[in-house]
Amino acid sequence: MSPRLRHLTTLEHLPRISIERLLDRAEALRDACAHGTRKLDVLAGRTVLNLFFEPSTRTRTSFELAARRLGADVINFDLGFSSTSKGEELYDTLHTLEAMHLDAIIVRHKEAGTPDALVRHAMSGVSVVNAGDGHRAHPTQGLLDVLTIRQHRPDFENLVVVICGDIKHSRVARSDIHALTVMGAKEIRLCGPAGLMPAADEFPHCRYYNDFDAAIEGADVSIMLRLQKERMAIVDLPDEAAYFNHYGLDTRRLARAAKGCLVMHPGPLNRGIEIASEVADGAQSRILEQVGNGVFVRMAVLCEVLAR
Amino acid sequence: MSPRLRHLTTLEHLPRISIERLLDRAEALRDACAHGTRKLDVLAGRTVLNLFFEPSTRTRTSFELAARRLGADVINFDLGFSSTSKGEELYDTLHTLEAMHLDAIIVRHKEAGTPDALVRHAMSGVSVVNAGDGHRAHPTQGLLDVLTIRQHRPDFENLVVVICGDIKHSRVARSDIHALTVMGAKEIRLCGPAGLMPAADEFPHCRYYNDFDAAIEGADVSIMLRLQKERMAIVDLPDEAAYFNHYGLDTRRLARAAKGCLVMHPGPLNRGIEIASEVADGAQSRILEQVGNGVFVRMAVLCEVLAR
Amino acid sequence: MSPRLRHLTTLEHLPRISIERLLDRAEALRDACAHGTRKLDVLAGRTVLNLFFEPSTRTRTSFELAARRLGADVINFDLGFSSTSKGEELYDTLHTLEAMHLDAIIVRHKEAGTPDALVRHAMSGVSVVNAGDGHRAHPTQGLLDVLTIRQHRPDFENLVVVICGDIKHSRVARSDIHALTVMGAKEIRLCGPAGLMPAADEFPHCRYYNDFDAAIEGADVSIMLRLQKERMAIVDLPDEAAYFNHYGLDTRRLARAAKGCLVMHPGPLNRGIEIASEVADGAQSRILEQVGNGVFVRMAVLCEVLAR
C-alpha cells in the first residue's frame, strides 16, 4: 500500500496506486451522495482555508463545497488579488495561518512552485493542496479529468487522448499529461499553434502536432483548452474565427475522432473560439460531468490529506 | 391546496393562497425564534448559493441568515460585480453550478427576466429565487411588506396604500403592487414626479398621483421609495430639498394620512430626501419590523422551494 | 466578582479581575483544544457579524475562526471598503443588523469611538466587540499580548516592557498600555522618533524615550510596532535603513535587554525595518504565539459577551 499523501502539489511522480485510491474514494463519495447522503462529518471540527492569490470563483467554490460536505469549516482568506505576496512575506502569512491552527490550506498562486515552497516552509502539520500554480500544475483538475475518462473508458492502455490549445501556458494540460501518463494512456497527443506549444523536450513521450485534423484522427478523448484572449497576439492567425477554423472543435472535426470520442474542457468555455456550441452541448460532451467529478475528487483529496 | 412553489421569480399570477401560506410560515418561524429556537435543521445538508451580479450587502445578508438559520450551507459566489454575464455565458455558469449539486440559487441581476431565464435553462432540480431583477421584481420584498402590513392591518379589503417615489424604476414598487393586488387591497395609489411614474397602462387598477398631499390623504400605509440620486436629473425639481418638499414624508404630511398610518421604506434610507428623520424614527415607523420580517419571509421561501 | 462584560470596546477602566477572567478563559479554551477538542458548541445557534470598514484579513480571520470554533455562525458584511459610513447612516446600518437578530457585531472603523457610538445607539441586546477603531484601541490585541506575556512572565509587578515604533498612531500600543497598566506592570517604556511619540501628558505613568538603546536596557519584553511606510515622511530619518538603524530590533540591541527578553510584534512584519529577521525568527520571538493566543482570546471574549 502506498503511503498516505500529506499534501497534494502535483501529480508528477505519484504512483498509480495513489491516484487510483483517490479516484476510488471520489467514486465512493459520489455513490454515497447519490444514495441520499447530503453531508458527511468525517472532517467535522477541521478548518480549511482558501488562500487564492489569483481569482477563481469556480475552483474556489468547488473546494468550498467539497470541504463543507465533509463537515469542515471553510475560511476564505481574501487577499483582494492585488497581493503578489512571495518570499518572506508569503512565509509569514503561512506561519500566521499555521499559528491559528488550520488543518489545510488550498492555495492558488501565479508563480509556479508556490505550493511546494509552502510545504517546505510549513512548521506545523498543516496540509497544502495546490489549486493551480502558474503554468505548472493543477492536480485536482488532472484527477477529475482522469476520473471522468475512467468512468467511460477504463482501459487506459488502449486510450488515445488529444489535448488541444495553449499547451505551453496551461497547468491543466500539464496535470492532465501527468495523470494520463501515470494511468498508462497509450498515446497522448498535444496540438496547438507553434507559439503555444511546449518545448519539444518537455514531454518526450507525447506526440506533438500543429494540425488539429491530424491530431484528432482516431482519438478516444479530446480535451480542449480555454484560449486566453490576450494570447491571440502570440498566435500567427488573424483573429478568433481563424483560430476556431484551425483549432476549434466542431462536429466535422469530431467525426475524425474515434466513435464516441469524449469531449472535455476545463471551463469556462469560449464558445466559437476553441469549441462549437453544438459540440459543447452535444451527446459526447462530458464537460458538466467534469464539474460534478471535481467536487468529489476534491472531497477525496481533503479526506486523504486530512485523515488522522 | 395550491401546489408547492419550486421557484420564486415574481409574485405576479401567484394565487392568494400561495402568498398566505408563505406569510403564515414566516410567522410560525418568527414565533419559533421568539420562543428560543435559535436554529432549525430542516435544510441541513442543503446548499444555497448567492449569485449576485449587483452588489447588495443587506439583501444578501438577509438571505444568508435565513438559509443558515434553517441549517443550510451558504456559498457566496462572488463575481466581483464587474461581471455582466448573460446569454450563453450565464447559462454555462448556471449549468456549472447545477453540476456541483446545489439546491437553490439566489440571484440578483440588473436585467429583468434573468431569474426566469435561469428557470427555463435549468437542467436539474435546482430552485431559483429572485433577489431582484432590473426594475421588474423583488418578490421577497413584496412578501415582507405585505407581512408587515398584515401584522397591523389584516383587513386588506379596507386598506388604502400609497407608494411614493421613483415607481418607474422600482422593482420594490412592482412587487409591492403585485402582492397588494393579490391580497385584495382596496386601493393602491402611486405617487411621484411625472418622469418617475410608470406608463399609465402598466397598472390600470392603481390610481396615479403627482401630488403627494393628495395621494396620502386618508392612506393606511405609506411606502416611501429610496431615491437614487442619479435620478434627480429626470425630476423637474431644482435639488434634493425641493424633492423632499414635494415628495418627502414629514410629520405634517403624515398627519393627512389615516390615523396610525404605517410608515414603511425598503431601506437604506435617504434621510431628508424621501423621508424625515422624525418620521423614520417615529412611533408609526415599521421600517425595522420590515427588516426583521425579511429574514423570516426568506426562511419561509427557502422552506417552500426546498421542501422534499 | 466583577460583572460580566456585555461589550468590549476598550480595556481602559476595566478592573484587573475582568481581564484576568478573560485570560483564564482563553487558557482553558487553549487547553481544551490541545486535548483534542476541535469544536465547541457553546455558541451554537448564535450569529456573529464582521462589520469591517477597514480591510484586515488577519484580524477578521482570527475572529471568524474564534466564532466558528465555538459553534457560532459568522456573516461577513463586506462593505467594499469604499464605505465611510458614519453618523445616521452608520446607525441605520446598526439598526438594520439588529433587526435581523444578530448576537454580536465585530467592528473595525477608522474613526476612534465608533464601537462606543454603536453601543450607545444599539436598541437590542446585540454585543459590540471592537476590532480596532482609529488610533484609539484594539482591545483583543491588548489582551492577547498580556496573555502571551503572562505565559512566560507571570510576575507583572517586576516586569519592564518597552514598546517601540509609531506609538502616536497605534491602537495596538494604546491597548497594550491599558492592559499592562491594569495588570500592574512595573515599568512601561515608550520609544520612537519624536514625530511618532504621543503627547507627553497622554501616558504620564510611562517613560518616554527617543533612544532605543537606552529604552531597551534591561527590558523583559520588547513590543515592536509595524511602521506604516507612509509615515516615514514624519520621521526625521533619511530612509528605512536609517529607521532600522535607530529603531529596529536586531541581535546586538536585544542583547542590551534582560536575559530572555520576550520579542513581540502584532504583525504583519516589516522585516529589516522595525525588526531583523534573525530576531523575528529567533529563540526569543513570541510572535507566532501571539497569533495563536489571538484566537483563544477572541473565543474568550465572545464567550463572555454572549453568555446568557
Side-chain angles (χ1 to χ4, degrees):
Chain A
M1 197 175 143
S2 67
R4 179 171 78 82
L5 301 174
R6 282 280 319 284
H7 309 281
L8 182 67
T9 62
T10 177
L11 302 176
E12 281 181 285
H13 319 306
L14 273 194
R16 180 165 178 172
I17 194 172
S18 294
I19 289 185
E20 291 197 327
R21 185 172 60 213
L22 289 168
L23 303 188
D24 292 346
R25 197 192 297 241
E27 295 228 301
L29 289 161
R30 190 185 65 154
D31 292 347
C33 289
H35 288 85
T37 304
R38 307 294 309 209
K39 195 156 177 175
L40 303 164
D41 62 358
V42 294
L43 298 184
R46 318 296 284 278
T47 307
V48 171
L49 182 135
N50 283 316
L51 181 65
F52 275 54
F53 294 91
E54 280 185 3
S56 168
T57 309
R58 291 162 53 107
T59 300
R60 185 187 58 66
T61 298
S62 182
F63 270 109
E64 185 169 349
L65 277 167
R68 296 219 194 176
R69 288 200 175 132
L70 294 165
D73 279 321
V74 180
I75 303 271
N76 290 310
F77 194 83
D78 188 343
L79 290 153
F81 306 130
S82 58
S83 176
T84 52
S85 181
K86 58 185 179 174
E88 285 302 331
E89 189 187 335
L90 177 65
Y91 306 135
D92 280 343
T93 298
L94 169 69
H95 297 148
T96 298
L97 295 172
E98 288 184 283
M100 292 181 187
H101 300 296
L102 295 166
D103 297 287
I105 295 176
I106 315 293
V107 63
R108 171 168 286 197
H109 199 286
K110 73 176 176 203
E111 291 211 19
T114 299
D116 303 84
L118 293 180
V119 169
R120 283 193 307 276
H121 284 80
M123 302 192 305
S124 71
V126 73
S127 290
V128 176
V129 176
N130 183 3
D133 61 326
H135 305 150
R136 175 176 165 261
H138 190 0
T140 56
Q141 180 75 41
L143 290 171
L144 75 90
D145 283 346
V146 292
L147 177 61
T148 305
I149 294 169
R150 195 178 77 164
Q151 287 163 353
H152 295 276
R153 297 275 190 283
D155 52 331
F156 281 87
E157 64 277 16
N158 295 317
L159 200 76
V160 176
V161 180
V162 60
I163 305 176
C164 180
D166 180 5
I167 315 277
K168 184 174 181 175
H169 305 96
S170 174
R171 54 194 172 208
V172 172
R174 284 187 177 77
S175 281
D176 281 346
I177 294 168
H178 298 153
L180 289 164
T181 303
V182 171
M183 294 297 287
K186 179 181 171 189
E187 193 173 306
I188 303 171
R189 301 174 183 171
L190 310 180
C191 177
L196 300 181
M197 289 292 283
D201 59 352
E202 184 176 357
F203 300 110
H205 66 298
C206 298
R207 294 181 61 182
Y208 285 47
Y209 292 80
N210 296 121
D211 177 352
F212 192 24
D213 282 321
I216 202 172
E217 188 75 40
D220 301 295
V221 178
S222 179
I223 299 175
M224 306 306 299
L225 302 176
R226 178 176 173 85
L227 183 69
Q228 301 296 331
K229 293 179 188 178
E230 63 273 24
R231 297 268 158 71
M232 275 303 292
I234 304 175
V235 181
D236 191 19
L237 290 168
D239 55 21
E240 292 177 353
Y243 182 89
F244 179 69
N245 197 38
H246 282 77
Y247 296 103
L249 185 60
D250 59 10
T251 304
R252 181 193 64 74
R253 202 162 257 145
L254 183 57
R256 304 179 67 94
K259 189 169 181 306
C261 172
L262 310 179
V263 172
M264 298 172 60
H265 189 294
L269 305 176
N270 287 314
R271 289 162 178 269
I273 300 181
E274 71 261 0
I275 193 164
S277 281
E278 60 192 3
V279 172
D281 304 330
Q284 290 170 249
S285 174
R286 303 297 162 218
I287 297 171
L288 295 175
E289 294 176 27
Q290 289 173 272
V291 175
N293 282 330
V295 178
F296 298 118
V297 155
R298 288 169 183 127
M299 290 173 79
V301 168
L302 291 173
C303 282
E304 170 98 7
V305 301
L306 292 179
R308 291 178 192 280
Chain B
M1 197 178 142
S2 68
R4 179 171 78 80
L5 301 175
R6 281 280 320 284
H7 308 281
L8 182 67
T9 62
T10 178
L11 302 176
E12 282 180 286
H13 319 307
L14 273 193
R16 180 164 177 173
I17 194 173
S18 294
I19 289 184
E20 291 198 326
R21 186 171 60 212
L22 289 169
L23 303 187
D24 292 346
R25 198 191 296 242
E27 296 227 300
L29 289 161
R30 189 185 64 154
D31 292 346
C33 289
H35 288 87
T37 304
R38 306 295 308 208
K39 195 157 177 174
L40 303 165
D41 63 358
V42 295
L43 297 185
R46 318 296 284 277
T47 307
V48 171
L49 183 135
N50 282 316
L51 181 64
F52 275 53
F53 294 91
E54 279 185 3
S56 168
T57 308
R58 290 161 52 109
T59 302
R60 186 187 59 68
T61 297
S62 183
F63 270 110
E64 185 169 348
L65 277 167
R68 295 218 194 176
R69 288 199 175 134
L70 294 165
D73 278 321
V74 180
I75 302 272
N76 289 310
F77 194 83
D78 187 344
L79 290 153
F81 306 130
S82 57
S83 177
T84 53
S85 183
K86 58 183 179 174
E88 286 301 330
E89 191 187 334
L90 177 65
Y91 307 135
D92 280 343
T93 297
L94 169 68
H95 297 148
T96 297
L97 295 172
E98 288 184 285
M100 292 183 188
H101 301 295
L102 295 166
D103 296 288
I105 296 176
I106 315 292
V107 63
R108 171 167 286 196
H109 199 286
K110 73 176 176 205
E111 292 210 20
T114 299
D116 302 84
L118 292 180
V119 169
R120 282 194 306 276
H121 284 80
M123 303 192 306
S124 71
V126 74
S127 290
V128 176
V129 177
N130 184 4
D133 62 326
H135 306 149
R136 176 175 163 262
H138 190 0
T140 56
Q141 181 76 41
L143 289 170
L144 75 89
D145 283 346
V146 292
L147 176 61
T148 305
I149 294 169
R150 198 179 74 163
Q151 286 163 353
H152 297 274
R153 296 276 189 283
D155 53 333
F156 281 86
E157 65 278 15
N158 296 319
L159 200 75
V160 176
V161 180
V162 60
I163 305 176
C164 181
D166 179 6
I167 315 276
K168 183 175 183 173
H169 304 97
S170 174
R171 54 193 173 212
V172 171
R174 285 188 176 77
S175 281
D176 281 347
I177 294 167
H178 297 153
L180 289 163
T181 303
V182 171
M183 294 298 287
K186 178 182 174 191
E187 193 172 306
I188 304 170
R189 301 174 184 172
L190 310 180
C191 178
L196 300 180
M197 288 293 282
D201 60 352
E202 185 177 354
F203 300 110
H205 66 297
C206 298
R207 294 181 62 182
Y208 286 49
Y209 293 79
N210 296 122
D211 177 352
F212 191 25
D213 283 322
I216 202 171
E217 188 75 41
D220 301 295
V221 178
S222 180
I223 299 176
M224 306 307 298
L225 301 176
R226 178 176 173 85
L227 183 70
Q228 301 297 331
K229 295 181 187 176
E230 63 273 24
R231 297 267 158 71
M232 275 303 291
I234 303 175
V235 180
D236 193 20
L237 290 168
D239 56 20
E240 294 176 350
Y243 182 90
F244 179 69
N245 197 39
H246 282 78
Y247 298 102
L249 185 59
D250 59 11
T251 303
R252 180 195 63 75
R253 202 163 257 144
L254 184 57
R256 304 178 68 94
K259 187 168 183 304
C261 172
L262 310 180
V263 172
M264 297 172 60
H265 189 295
L269 305 176
N270 287 314
R271 290 164 178 268
I273 300 180
E274 69 262 0
I275 193 164
S277 281
E278 60 194 1
V279 173
D281 304 330
Q284 289 169 250
S285 173
R286 302 297 163 217
I287 296 172
L288 295 176
E289 294 176 27
Q290 290 173 272
V291 175
N293 282 330
V295 178
F296 297 119
V297 154
R298 288 167 184 128
M299 289 173 79
V301 168
L302 290 173
C303 283
E304 169 97 6
V305 301
L306 292 179
R308 292 179 193 278
Chain C
M1 197 175 140
S2 67
R4 180 172 76 82
L5 301 175
R6 280 282 318 285
H7 308 281
L8 183 67
T9 63
T10 178
L11 302 177
E12 282 182 284
H13 319 306
L14 273 193
R16 181 166 178 170
I17 194 172
S18 294
I19 288 185
E20 291 197 328
R21 186 172 59 211
L22 289 169
L23 304 187
D24 291 345
R25 198 192 298 241
E27 295 228 301
L29 289 161
R30 189 185 66 154
D31 291 347
C33 289
H35 286 86
T37 304
R38 306 295 308 210
K39 195 157 177 171
L40 303 164
D41 62 359
V42 295
L43 297 184
R46 319 295 285 277
T47 307
V48 171
L49 183 136
N50 282 317
L51 181 66
F52 274 55
F53 294 90
E54 280 186 3
S56 168
T57 307
R58 290 163 53 109
T59 302
R60 186 188 57 69
T61 298
S62 183
F63 271 110
E64 185 169 349
L65 276 167
R68 295 218 193 175
R69 287 200 176 132
L70 295 166
D73 279 321
V74 180
I75 302 272
N76 289 309
F77 194 83
D78 188 342
L79 290 152
F81 306 131
S82 57
S83 176
T84 53
S85 182
K86 57 184 180 173
E88 286 302 329
E89 190 187 334
L90 177 66
Y91 306 135
D92 280 342
T93 298
L94 169 69
H95 297 149
T96 297
L97 295 172
E98 288 184 284
M100 293 183 187
H101 300 295
L102 294 166
D103 297 288
I105 296 177
I106 315 292
V107 63
R108 171 167 287 197
H109 199 288
K110 73 176 177 205
E111 292 210 20
T114 298
D116 302 85
L118 293 180
V119 168
R120 282 193 307 275
H121 284 80
M123 303 191 307
S124 70
V126 74
S127 290
V128 176
V129 176
N130 183 4
D133 62 326
H135 304 150
R136 175 176 165 261
H138 190 359
T140 56
Q141 181 75 42
L143 289 170
L144 73 91
D145 283 346
V146 292
L147 177 61
T148 305
I149 294 168
R150 195 179 76 164
Q151 286 163 352
H152 296 276
R153 296 276 190 282
D155 51 330
F156 281 86
E157 65 278 16
N158 296 318
L159 200 73
V160 176
V161 180
V162 61
I163 305 176
C164 180
D166 179 6
I167 315 278
K168 183 175 183 172
H169 305 97
S170 175
R171 54 195 173 208
V172 171
R174 284 188 176 75
S175 281
D176 281 347
I177 294 167
H178 298 152
L180 289 163
T181 303
V182 171
M183 294 296 288
K186 179 181 173 190
E187 192 172 306
I188 303 171
R189 301 174 182 172
L190 310 181
C191 178
L196 300 181
M197 289 294 282
D201 59 352
E202 184 177 354
F203 300 109
H205 65 298
C206 298
R207 296 182 60 182
Y208 286 47
Y209 294 79
N210 296 122
D211 176 351
F212 192 24
D213 283 321
I216 201 171
E217 188 76 40
D220 300 295
V221 178
S222 179
I223 299 175
M224 306 306 299
L225 300 177
R226 178 177 173 85
L227 182 70
Q228 301 298 330
K229 294 181 187 178
E230 63 272 23
R231 297 268 158 70
M232 274 303 291
I234 304 175
V235 181
D236 192 19
L237 290 168
D239 55 22
E240 293 176 351
Y243 182 89
F244 178 71
N245 197 39
H246 282 77
Y247 297 103
L249 184 60
D250 58 12
T251 304
R252 182 196 62 76
R253 202 164 257 143
L254 183 56
R256 303 178 69 93
K259 189 167 181 306
C261 172
L262 309 180
V263 172
M264 296 173 62
H265 189 294
L269 305 175
N270 286 314
R271 289 164 177 268
I273 300 180
E274 69 262 359
I275 192 164
S277 280
E278 61 194 2
V279 173
D281 304 329
Q284 289 170 250
S285 173
R286 304 295 162 219
I287 297 172
L288 295 176
E289 293 176 29
Q290 289 173 274
V291 175
N293 282 331
V295 178
F296 298 118
V297 155
R298 288 168 183 128
M299 290 173 79
V301 168
L302 290 173
C303 283
E304 170 98 6
V305 299
L306 292 179
R308 292 176 191 281

